[in-house]
Amino acid sequence: QVQLVESGGGLVQAGGSLRLSCQASGRTFSISTRAMGWFRQAPGKEREFVSAITRSGRGTDYADSVKGRFTISRDTAKNTVYLQMISLKPEDTAVYYCGADQGLFGNELRYASSYDYWGQGTQVTVSS
């Protein structure tokens, strides 16, 4: 049984910053055994890839729209993944979801279908 809980969302003005957290728990689950990703979904749109970190923690990937502004990181001791967001724009407004992948070799981490577990999401609203 795996649970992912996001936190840190809120209302911020354009140009501001937020740090999202994803706390993972489970009897045999460790974020060090899975790739972890952040996705977002705005009303009327499909879930969109934002960022991912590999199982080893040595590789990261970002959507073009957030490169240079968002940073994914993890603290394995706390079983927590973070998304630091700076220079926020109104178009960043969405519900942000944390996901844990399937633990399969060759997974494409930019695809939502590659993830087995999801949190409930945290709302990020950026005002202009």
Side-chain angles (χ1 to χ4, degrees), residues 13-50:
Q13 293 182 344
S17 301
L18 288 171
R19 189 179 75 158
L20 307 184
S21 298
C22 173
Q23 174 70 226
S25 62
R27 274 180 260 184
T28 62
F29 185 86
S30 170
I31 62 170
S32 66
T33 68
R34 306 278 186 135
M36 303 292 293
W38 287 97
F39 287 71
R40 65 189 182 187
Q41 189 166 22
K45 297 183 179 180
E46 292 199 338
R47 193 165 296 192
E48 174 190 29
F49 171 76
V50 176

Side-chain angles (χ1 to χ4, degrees), residues 11-86:
L11 175 64
V12 64
Q13 293 182 344
S17 301
L18 288 171
R19 189 179 75 158
L20 307 184
S21 298
C22 173
Q23 174 70 226
S25 62
R27 274 180 260 184
T28 62
F29 185 86
S30 170
I31 62 170
S32 66
T33 68
R34 306 278 186 135
M36 303 292 293
W38 287 97
F39 287 71
R40 65 189 182 187
Q41 189 166 22
K45 297 183 179 180
E46 292 199 338
R47 193 165 296 192
E48 174 190 29
F49 171 76
V50 176
S51 185
I53 187 165
T54 62
R55 183 180 300 166
S56 70
R58 299 187 189 102
T60 58
D61 192 22
Y62 299 92
D64 288 344
S65 59
V66 307
K67 283 182 179 177
R69 299 189 298 118
F70 291 11
T71 303
I72 190 170
S73 62
R74 72 180 193 183
D75 185 337
T76 56
K78 296 181 178 179
N79 228 15
T80 300
V81 180
Y82 304 98
L83 186 68
Q84 179 68 55
M85 307 185 294
I86 65 170

Side-chain angles (χ1 to χ4, degrees), residues 11-16 40 42-43 45 69-70 86-96 123-128:
L11 175 64
V12 64
Q13 293 182 344
R40 65 189 182 187
K45 297 183 179 180
R69 299 189 298 118
F70 291 11
I86 65 170
S87 301
L88 283 162
K89 304 174 180 180
E91 51 262 47
D92 295 319
T93 295
V95 178
Y96 283 70
Q123 176 71 48
V124 172
T125 303
V126 184
S127 62
S128 60

Side-chain angles (χ1 to χ4, degrees), residues 93-111:
T93 295
V95 178
Y96 283 70
Y97 297 92
C98 171
D101 89 336
Q102 298 158 353
L104 301 176
F105 294 105
N107 262 353
E108 173 52 69
L109 300 181
R110 300 175 73 96
Y111 295 167

